[in-house]
Each structure stands twice: as C-alpha cells, then as structure tokens.
Amino acid sequence: MDATTNTQDSTTDAIAVEVDHVSKIFRGEQEVRALDDVSVGIRKNEFFTLLGPSGCGKTTLLRLIAGFEPPTMGAIRLGGRDISRLPPNQRPVNTVFQNYALFPHMSVAQNIAFGLEMLGKPKAEVQKTVDEMLRLVRMEELKNRRTGEISGGQQQRVALARALAPHPEVLLLDEPLSALDLKLRKDMQIELKRLQSETGITFIFVTHDQEEALTMSDRIAVMSAGKILQVGPPRDIYERPAERFVANFIGESNFLDATLAGGKATLAAGGTFDVHVPEGVRDGKVSVLVRPEHATVHAGEAGEREIAGTVENVVYSGEATVVHLRLATGEAMKARLSNAPQGGEAAPETGSAAAVTIAPGAVTVLRD
Amino acid sequence: MSEMGATPYPPGELEREARAADTRRRWLLSLPALVIIIFAAAGPLLVMVVYSFLTPGDYGNVKWQFSLEGWTNTIVQRDIFDDTLIWADAHLSIFWRSLSLSLITTLLTLIFGVPTAWFIATQPPGKREFWLFLVTVPFWTNLLVRTIAIQELIRSEGVINLVLLKLGIIDAPLQMMFTDFAIGFGMTYVYLPLMVLPVYAAVDKLDFRLVEAAHDLYASRWTAFRRVILPLIKPGIIAGSILVFIPCLGAYVTPRVLGGGKNLMFGNLIELQFGQGRNWPLGAALSLMLMVAVMVALIWYVRVTSREQADGR
C-alpha cells in the first residue's frame, strides 16, 4: 500500500483517477441504473467536482471510487493501476462522509489517529501527524473532546483531518458542507480550497450546490440521470454550457429560439450574433442561451441591434434588479441589471415598452 | 380599567393546580401496579427475611424462635457425629457450579447470539420481523415442555445418540443426560433469545456508515469489528449478558430435568431446603444470598454503563 506516497507531481496532466465506462445498476424491486456508461479522467492535484441534482449518481460514483460498492460494468484505475477489485481498506483513497461518520466512542485525536494506526505507523509518527492535522484544521484545543461534544463545523474539520491524516492519493468528499449553515459553509469553502493547495492531494468533491462548485473547483463534471453531461473548468461550464440541462442547473438562464447558419445565430426575436457552436450541432433551428446578466434593458423603442419587449415585472434583490420581459415572439426573457448607487439610472417600469441589448459573445448555442 | 396584574388568580396558582392534578393522575394510574408489587413482591420478601432468622420446625415450617443458624448454615455446618463446625462443602460446590455454569452459558449465548443478532439486523427491514419471530417462538411454549423436548434429544435412546449409532460414529450411546453438559446445553438454548434481542437492538441502532468509515481508513473486517463495531454494540452485549446470567444463577427447571438429582444448581439447593431438607430458614437465607449476588451484579452493570455514558456519546 502506498497511501503515503507524495503526490506533489509537477505534471498536472497526469491522471489520478480514471473511470472507464462504468455502469452501476441496483437491482431491487425495480432496476435502477444509477450510473450509465460513465467515463472521466481526474487529474492529479485537481479539485474536481461532481455536480448534479440528488439521484443523478454522483454519490454512487464516489462510493465506487472508494470501493464501498463494485461497479456493474467497467473499471476504475488509480494512477494507472486497476483498483476495481480492491476492498476499500486497500485503496489509498479516503472519504469525508456527508454526515462525517466520526467514531462517537473516540476523542477527536483518536479519530484522526485511526487511519494511521490501521496502516501500522509507529506511535511517534502517528502522534506527530495527528498534531500536524490538528494544527492544519485548527482544532488543537479540542483534541481530547468526544466528537459528540463539538459543533457541526468542528466535526466537519475533524472529519477532514481524519481523512487527510493518512495522506491519501485521492480525497473523496461527499457533500461535506451541506449540513452547515450558510456563513460556516462559506468559510469552509475557502478552508477546503486552502487545504487542497497545502496538501497537494487530489480532491473529488460531490455537491448539488452550483455556487459551491463554481467557487471551489478546478474542473466540474455536471451529472444527470447517471450520465456525465459536461466536464470543464467553472467558467466554461457557466459560459459555454453544452446542453440545456447544464445551463438550467447552473445559474439563471434565458432560452431563446434561433436559426444557426455558418457560425452565426439569428434570434427569432431579432439580432444576429457570432456564436460558439458545440460539437454535433448542425445549421438550422437551435436553442440558444443568454445569461440574464449579459443583457441590459432601457426604456423606450428598440434601436438597431436591440430587441423589443414589454416589461412584465421588475424585481429588486439588493445588489441587482431583475427585469422580466415578454418579447415580440412571445418568449419570456430576464435581464439582470446591477444596481447603481441611488440617483443612478432607474429600471424601466412595469407595462412599459423596453429595448434589450445582448452583449457580444453572450449567445451560446445549446446541443439539445 | 383594571390595574396591572390584577388578575383573578394569584401568580403561580394555575401552574400549581395543574401540577397537583398531574401528580394525582399519575399515582392513580400506577396504583394497581404498586399494590401488586407491595403484596406479591415486597410481602413475601419480608416473610423470607423473617424466616431466615427463625429455627426450623420438625416437619418443615418454622418455630418462632430467633436463630442465626439459617445464615451460618449457608457457609458452615455442624457435623452430625461430633458436633464440630465444618465448611458446608456441598453448598460451596453447588454455588461454584451455578456460577461457572452460568458464566459458561453466558459465554455460549454470546458466541451464538451475537452473529445471530447481526444476521437479523442486517436483513432487509421487511424480513427482520420474520427472523425475530423465529427467535422468540420458544417463548411461546412452556419451559418445562421445551426442557423435556431437549431431554428427548440427548438421552441415551434419544435422537442424537440414535443417529450417531446408526451412522456408526459411536458404538455405545453417549451419556449426555444428567451431566453438566446437559445443563449448559439446555440453559444456552433456553436463554439464547435473551441475548439475541438486546444485541439485535444495539446492532439495529449501529450506524453502518461508521463501519464504512473504518474500512475507508484501512481497517480490515476484523479490526473494524474490534475497534468500531464492538465498542458501539457493547451496551447491548452487556444487557444481554446480564439478562442471561442472572436467571441462569437461579435456574431451577432446566437443571432439575436435565441434571437429574446429582448435579444440583443453586435454585435446586434452595428448593431442597423447603422440601426434603425441611430447613426453611436455611432455604430463606440461601435465596436472600442469591438475591444479593444478583443485585450486586446489577448495580455493577448500571455503574459501568452509566460511567460509559458519562464518558460521552
């Protein structure tokens, strides 16, 4: 077992975990295809996020990598080595469980020491690493407490320290922040990112929270119904979603009808835009995405390169105002305007005619 | 306009009344149980305490004459011939046999009961009831009947011996009846459900993600059992052990039927004093001794488990 192998590899392209055509079918009263021919490569030292709604198979994929369940089909490789057959205790992979799964009959320090003891490390080394981990997650003062006597945020930190202590090649995190309140969650997001860069361990992070995924990840895999729909850096996923599901799941979206011809999309509502065309989309009728914050609105008639609409609703939400419009084609559209200091330009009024301007490059063709 | 605080009730009166009514209702509800406990448990116990300090009557019963012999006789006895005091070896060896057989039975029910409880608790929820039902089925039949059924299995012409003879594994029937083995075997069978049920309850409560966490942290199956599962189901194991051990100490029917006359256990010794022995004070003292032993074990159990609870959970 080489769980302590230093994985700080300068070649960032090296693959840490390779999921090779993996399917997982649960046979109960009815057959559930939790994973459907999933293939993905997760790079070394990467903060990789599996993002999707509940039931999309993201946790199943994590459990397969951890070794808690065997795949129905396919193989999982770790650093090029097939680990499909290894039990969890022989995989240099550790998990931070959703509800932490801390051992209630042990102290904080004993929890952190557990993995190291199981690996048969000498006492002095266990002690040293436990102290290091306690410092890393800032829990030195509570090391002798029982896990039931510390707060949720502290338990979270102990769970992290326990999983990091054996210095695994890959750390799996199963929605570890979902039980925390908003403020704590924001702090832990930054904390996790810090831990990842300090330890240089590959993180595979499961979440259904798109904002969390965008904030923390190097790359995101968006999953739905047992399939990976798109893999890419947060910016690509947000700005160039390939499918309607991905666009809809991440951020606010306007879906508009358009006609694609020669790398240019002409909206049904008016206006022609240079667009990025994803693979497999042919000229003709397509759906395009415009993010609300990439559109602006002003009162009055539409000029050239502008789209005419009627204001249906204006919603103030602190840092922005969202204008809901009905376009001439009958399509609904939202525009998100940043709020200027008081006395700045006011948003158009409900019921008035307005003109929408879409920023160049803001129109994305979708594959669906 | 009324003044501030000028309500029809003085402060706290309504709360006091509600509390009083609540207390009344509780006493009323527990009255039948209290009556039964006082008359059927405390009463006879008092009689036993009084009897243990009296002199045995000639044909059983007691003479109303104070005596400590009942108690001293539990440990020493007067030699019939020269009137010297000697250790009551018979009592001590019976006490020892009861203790060791009870411990062995507890151990055996642990060895058989824990895996059984584990098996049931890890069944899908719909199937657990069926297995639990099977475990409790023996309780539905009278103890004596079940014990006699065991006798049919292990006696010289019994099922086990017949099968072994037919298969040619043995030449002559094994003597199993009227041995300590028979008593241990019978008691293990009788008390096994009392071990399975509390251990099942503990395993059922066990969070299996903790087991996964242990495996994830490189624990083998055996180490995960020893370091994580065992400490967490310990309360169930202790409860089961107490539930088996205590009735074993006082077991009466099983040793009587399967052990015959020779292999007495403590319960039989007590019975003997009230029957052929015609020494009621001694019988009363012996049963009080047994009760104290059981109470000590119980108090120890409560102490140990509550200390663990205080350790944090």
Side-chain angles (χ1 to χ4, degrees), chain A residues 133-263:
Chain A
M133 287 297 140
L134 285 165
R135 212 166 28 248
L136 192 67
V137 297
R138 305 187 183 115
M139 287 287 293
E140 293 110 310
E141 267 132 61
L142 300 173
K143 66 174 180 180
N144 292 322
R145 292 279 191 89
R146 290 284 171 144
T147 56
E149 299 167 347
I150 57 177
S151 73
Q154 290 163 341
Q155 289 182 18
Q156 164 70 81
R157 279 202 243 279
V158 176
L160 261 170
R162 184 180 72 173
L164 283 171
H167 207 92
E169 287 177 31
V170 178
L171 187 74
L172 308 175
L173 302 104
D174 185 8
E175 307 219 17
L177 307 182
S178 61
L180 304 180
D181 61 51
L182 186 67
K183 177 79 180 63
L184 208 51
R185 199 153 69 218
K186 296 269 180 210
D187 292 347
M188 282 308 293
Q189 286 176 6
I190 296 164
E191 186 91 0
L192 270 180
K193 198 68 190 151
R194 174 181 73 89
L195 285 172
Q196 197 257 335
S197 57
E198 274 180 30
T199 56
I201 292 172
T202 308
F203 276 33
I204 304 180
F205 186 87
V206 158
T207 184
H208 62 265
D209 183 330
Q210 44 116 352
E211 195 201 327
E212 208 165 271
L214 291 173
T215 326
M216 303 167 72
S217 319
D218 293 324
R219 283 195 307 154
I220 299 172
V222 183
M223 294 186 68
S224 170
K227 284 180 186 295
I228 291 183
L229 301 182
Q230 190 175 1
V231 182
R235 207 184 178 98
D236 277 11
I237 296 279
Y238 184 79
E239 292 181 1
R240 297 253 174 276
E243 295 183 30
R244 182 186 279 257
F245 179 89
V246 177
N248 211 9
F249 193 72
I250 299 179
E252 296 274 305
S253 312
N254 292 304
F255 297 111
L256 301 171
D257 291 335
T259 312
L260 182 66

Side-chain angles (χ1 to χ4, degrees), chain B residues 20-31:
Chain B
D22 199 37
T23 312
R24 260 198 315 278
R25 270 194 299 274
R26 273 186 229 176
W27 275 103
L28 215 61
L29 281 171
S30 42
L31 201 61

Side-chain angles (χ1 to χ4, degrees), chain A residues 63 94-95 99 105 117, chain B residues 209-210 212 215-216 227 311:
Chain A
R63 291 177 60 80
N94 289 139
T95 308
N99 294 303
H105 56 297
E117 285 170 9
Chain B
R209 283 173 303 191
L210 295 176
E212 280 189 349
H215 288 313
D216 188 61
R227 292 284 306 266
D311 273 357

Side-chain angles (χ1 to χ4, degrees), chain A residues 1 3 63 68 88-89 91 93-95 97 99 101-106 115 117-119 146 162 166, chain B residues 207 209-221 223-224 227-229 231-232 310-313:
Chain A
M1 167 150 350
R63 291 177 60 80
F68 299 135
N89 55 319
R91 299 187 184 197
V93 168
N94 289 139
T95 308
F97 293 86
N99 294 303
L102 296 176
F103 303 126
H105 56 297
M106 298 182 193
E117 285 170 9
M118 292 301 112
L119 287 173
R146 290 284 171 144
R162 184 180 72 173
Chain B
D207 183 351
R209 283 173 303 191
L210 295 176
V211 184
E212 280 189 349
H215 288 313
D216 188 61
L217 292 161
Y218 314 112
S220 63
R221 296 173 65 85
T223 321
R227 292 284 306 266
V228 176
I229 297 168
L232 292 174
D311 273 357
R313 277 245 134 185

